[in-house]
Amino acid sequence: MRPEFYKVLASPVLWGILILAAPLPFLLPSYYLHIVILSLVYVALASSWNIVGGMAGQISLAHSLFIGTGAMLSTALLLKLGINMWVGLLISAAISAMLAAMIAWIDYRFRLGHLSFVLITLAFAEMGGLVVEGWDFLGGASGLLLPRDTGHFLDFQFGGSHGAFWVMLLLAVVCVLVNVAILNAPLGYYLRTIRDNENAARAIGVNVLRYKVAAMVISAVLASIVGTAYVRYLTFADPYLLISPVITIEIVLFATVGGLGSAFGPALGALLLVPLGEILRGQLGGVLPGLHYFIYGIVVIAVILITPQGLLPLFERLWKRRPGAAATRPPTVAP
Amino acid sequence: MALLEVEKVTKRFGGLVALNDVSFSVAQGEILGIIGPNGAGKTTLFSAISGFAPPSSGDVRFDGTSIVGVLPDRLVRRGLIRSFQIVQTFADMTTLDVVTTAALTRRPIREAIDYAAHVLGRVGLAGKEHLTPLTLSLQDKKLLELAKCLATDPRCILLDEVMAGLTMAETDKPIAVVRELNRQGVTIVMVEHVMPVIMQLATRMVVINFGEKIAEGSPADIVKDQHVIDAYFGEHLDA
Ligand SMILES: Nc1ncnc2c1ncn2[C@@H]1O[C@H](COP(=O)(O)OP(=O)(O)OP(=O)(O)O)[C@@H](O)[C@H]1O
Ligand SMILES: [Mg+2]
């Protein structure tokens, strides 16, 4: 591990944000708390997707399969078999890991190109959706309703939106830190070489299959855990929300707008776009149906055109150019 | 004992026989030069040895065991690495990142980063650690190919035209690096069109034409060989 990882871990900014954020549930009206929780869910999801989509450069559309497994399966295990949801979380994560490893292996074995990979991951996600809809055990098309959250921690209950906030904050931070860790570890180097030039990566000793599988599995396990926590917050396991490609598209969008491949870019994208989307919907949803989508779309297009590498690099440039920034002060040349 | 043995290797691409029954061996510590006209099959030979395009028939042994069917990255870890004639670039990484990845073959990450910086200095790329390979000049890209190979601490390197396209003065640095590596015990097999370079470096030469080995011997003998003169030098010397 490079020392940079420990610097981030020990950074006062990280701990400062956490300490400032911790009391938010007591301060925010419930509508805004909901938006914050939703943002944290997407910070975690976009960061988990970034490991495959950003670092390894593989546009996977299978993310909803892992979120959906974490959400629908753990719920079904509890309701149908009485299995504790903590155990359900682990079982779902293990199954997500296996599905992820299988997809990565197929990609490697059949040397899928970029487009084939996108299409095959989409096909897996769609198949997951069909399985859920067609199988009553997983709730079928009507979904599953979790028992009320009475705050029993041992039953995976966190006491409604206050608890959900802290759980999501924790998961968001963990997902971002996993990104930081990978980028500062050998795996980050391997994934970036694979992304840039797979054959040349192999030629300098990179085991392409092993690290593609590793990226996909880490990404899927995180997504699955977030899925389980998310469904606990929502209480209703809705297949059309949790295992639909729409949620993947949103994640890809947030990660891309924030900055693919970087540790903080996807988080930044989610933190900006989720509240924007929710507020636009709240303000304009009643005015003209679809207007908020339109404005949202324009914002996204503008960002991508203005800063194709995402918002994070743009912010970094602005930060370096801020008045008084030492690094960019023009050199004083003696006349 | 021979470190690398190529035995009756044939490689077909559909109907085209790119290599036909080629055999030779390379002793530990040698610098073997491979020459031959364009399209003779030299790069194909390297691909066949290094696991990128396994031979259609025949055997390749490294350190006494057959390596046919072994994947390239495993061979790198066993100490056999090739460079690419067409330099391989990485779009979104710095040269230091790329060479660090190569160094990770045998070192933990912090050591790998220091070692990569050291290797870049050694091949003459000091000060260019933070450029992306895409923006390097052709000479520097060739030096980067060399640096990637060095960083994996190989026992045997297959160098495919690392001096091609360079001016005589520009070849000084890579020649010095190859010499020094060889002094440290690294076995080198190099394909090169630049005759003065290969004549002064190689301890032995193999000549390939139309996928077949047509001669083998010391550099001094090779330039006198009539087959070689006909197949290869003729056109070059007349020019
Ligand atoms: N992947 C491939 N598919 C089909 N034919 C190939 C392939 N690779 C090489 N060839 C053919 O095999 C023959 C040998 O090519 P090779 O690149 O090995 O020659 P070379 O000796 O390295 O030439 P040069 O000096 O130009 O680098 C050529 O006729 C080439 O067209
Ligand atoms: Mg060649």
Side-chain angles (χ1 to χ4, degrees):
Chain A
M1 192 67 68
R2 282 163 60 188
E4 280 83 348
F5 173 67
Y6 302 105
K7 261 189 229 155
V8 170
L9 263 194
S11 135
V13 178
L14 173 72
W15 294 104
I17 291 176
L18 284 182
I19 289 168
L20 286 179
L24 277 181
F26 302 111
L27 304 173
L28 288 178
S30 64
Y31 170 65
Y32 290 102
L33 184 58
H34 171 70
I35 294 180
V36 172
I37 293 172
L38 214 53
S39 306
L40 291 172
V41 170
Y42 279 96
V43 166
L45 291 176
S47 300
S48 66
W49 183 80
N50 187 45
I51 298 164
V52 168
M55 296 181 205
Q58 295 190 287
I59 307 303
S60 163
L61 296 186
H63 223 54
S64 66
L65 180 64
F66 311 130
I67 302 166
T69 302
M72 308 306 295
L73 183 60
S74 62
T75 305
L77 289 175
L78 171 68
L79 295 180
K80 305 289 169 73
L81 301 177
I83 293 176
N84 182 295
M85 212 159 167
W86 286 105
V87 179
L89 174 144
L90 294 178
I91 295 174
S92 313
I95 288 179
S96 292
M98 280 187 268
L99 291 169
M102 183 183 71
I103 293 173
W105 181 82
I106 290 174
D107 166 48
Y108 178 86
R109 176 66 185 70
F110 297 97
R111 296 167 187 275
L112 301 184
H114 281 291
L115 183 60
S116 320
F117 181 77
V118 173
L119 294 177
I120 284 204
T121 51
L122 179 62
F124 271 103
E126 291 285 10
M127 272 154 50
L130 290 174
V131 168
V132 171
E133 277 174 49
W135 192 15
D136 280 341
F137 177 77
L138 290 173
S142 53
L144 295 168
L145 194 62
L146 278 168
R148 210 166 59 84
D149 184 341
T150 50
H152 285 125
F153 184 76
L154 291 180
D155 288 334
F156 202 73
Q157 296 181 355
F158 307 103
S161 52
H162 285 205
F165 170 83
W166 290 310
V167 169
M168 287 309 170
L169 183 63
L170 178 73
L171 284 176
V173 169
V174 166
C175 288
V176 172
L177 285 181
V178 169
N179 275 255
V180 178
I182 292 176
L183 284 177
N184 286 298
L187 182 58
Y189 283 81
Y190 297 142
L191 294 182
R192 286 153 65 218
T193 44
I194 291 171
R195 172 189 65 196
D196 280 3
N197 191 334
E198 193 170 310
N199 237 358
R202 201 173 267 128
I204 49 176
V206 177
N207 185 330
V208 174
L209 173 63
R210 179 189 298 170
Y211 299 118
K212 276 187 165 179
V213 169
M216 199 74 175
V217 166
I218 295 172
S219 171
V221 166
L222 291 174
S224 178
I225 293 172
V226 175
T228 309
Y230 189 29
V231 80
R232 180 57 276 187
Y233 169 64
L234 296 172
T235 304
F236 175 49
D238 177 0
Y240 296 106
L241 174 68
L242 292 164
I243 197 159
S244 114
V246 174
I247 198 168
T248 309
I249 300 298
E250 288 178 317
I251 291 164
V252 174
L253 194 74
F254 301 153
T256 309
V257 165
L260 278 186
S262 61
F264 301 105
L268 179 71
L271 283 178
L272 293 175
L273 289 183
V274 175
L276 178 70
E278 288 298 311
I279 289 167
L280 280 177
R281 190 167 61 172
Q283 302 291 315
L284 300 174
V287 180
L288 205 131
L291 181 61
H292 63 285
Y293 279 129
F294 192 77
I295 295 178
Y296 194 74
I298 287 181
V299 170
V300 169
I301 291 169
V303 167
I304 289 176
L305 291 182
I306 292 167
T307 168
Q309 302 297 314
L311 283 170
L312 191 73
L314 179 73
F315 282 20
E316 282 170 352
R317 279 200 300 278
L318 292 178
W319 177 250
K320 281 187 196 137
R321 244 187 271 151
R322 76 192 185 278
T328 52
R329 209 174 284 151
T332 41
V333 181
Chain B
M1 199 198 96
L3 180 63
L4 182 68
E5 294 159 280
V6 174
E7 194 181 296
K8 294 194 162 64
V9 162
T10 296
K11 178 73 188 181
R12 293 187 197 87
F13 293 110
L16 179 90
V17 184
L19 290 173
N20 190 10
D21 224 19
V22 174
S23 301
F24 62 90
S25 69
V26 190
Q28 165 73 46
E30 222 182 346
I31 301 184
L32 179 75
I34 296 182
I35 60 171
N38 291 110
K42 305 176 298 291
T43 298
T44 305
L45 176 64
F46 275 10
S47 299
I49 296 173
S50 59
F52 280 90
S56 313
S57 67
D59 195 15
V60 181
R61 283 186 298 275
F62 183 61
D63 208 12
T65 49
S66 175
I67 54 170
V68 173
V70 180
L71 290 174
D73 52 287
R74 304 228 43 169
L75 292 178
V76 171
R77 266 169 277 143
R78 278 159 74 165
L80 177 66
I81 190 164
R82 72 173 293 186
S83 77
F84 284 90
Q85 179 177 0
I86 299 164
V87 282
Q88 304 286 303
T89 53
F90 298 83
D92 290 324
M93 298 176 79
T94 64
T95 58
L96 183 66
D97 287 344
V98 172
V99 179
T100 299
T101 311
L104 282 168
T105 304
R106 273 177 240 291
R107 289 156 205 270
I109 182 130
R110 292 184 199 203
E111 253 179 63
I113 295 169
D114 292 343
Y115 188 60
H118 164 78
V119 167
L120 283 170
R122 186 168 165 192
V123 302
L125 286 176
K128 297 183 177 157
E129 290 86 354
H130 299 289
L131 300 178
T132 113
L134 270 182
T135 62
L136 296 178
S137 66
L138 176 69
Q139 181 195 10
D140 286 349
K141 280 180 183 158
K142 297 259 176 187
L143 293 175
L144 180 63
E145 278 294 312
L146 202 54
K148 285 193 299 185
C149 291
L150 293 197
T152 64
D153 296 308
R155 299 169 61 197
C156 179
I157 308 190
L158 314 175
L159 293 174
D160 198 351
E161 303 201 18
V162 281
M163 323 261 180
L166 305 186
T167 65
M168 264 311 158
E170 285 172 341
T171 57
D172 288 350
K173 190 78 204 179
I175 289 177
V177 173
V178 169
R179 277 234 168 81
E180 191 193 329
L181 268 179
N182 184 243
R183 251 200 313 278
Q184 292 168 350
V186 179
T187 306
I188 288 157
V189 183
M190 57 194 305
V191 164
E192 209 56 71
H193 281 301
V194 189
M195 286 311 289
V197 169
I198 201 142
M199 294 295 285
Q200 59 172 300
L201 278 174
T203 46
R204 210 157 52 88
M205 308 242 274
V206 162
V207 187
I208 296 181
N209 193 22
F210 291 116
E212 303 197 17
K213 183 173 91 173
I214 57 166
E216 179 174 356
S218 71
D221 291 342
I222 288 293
V223 285
K224 287 187 244 139
D225 190 303
Q226 194 54 48
H227 292 106
V228 180
I229 294 168
D230 291 347
Y232 192 68
F233 292 117
E235 44 181 313
H236 281 241
L237 293 180
D238 295 345

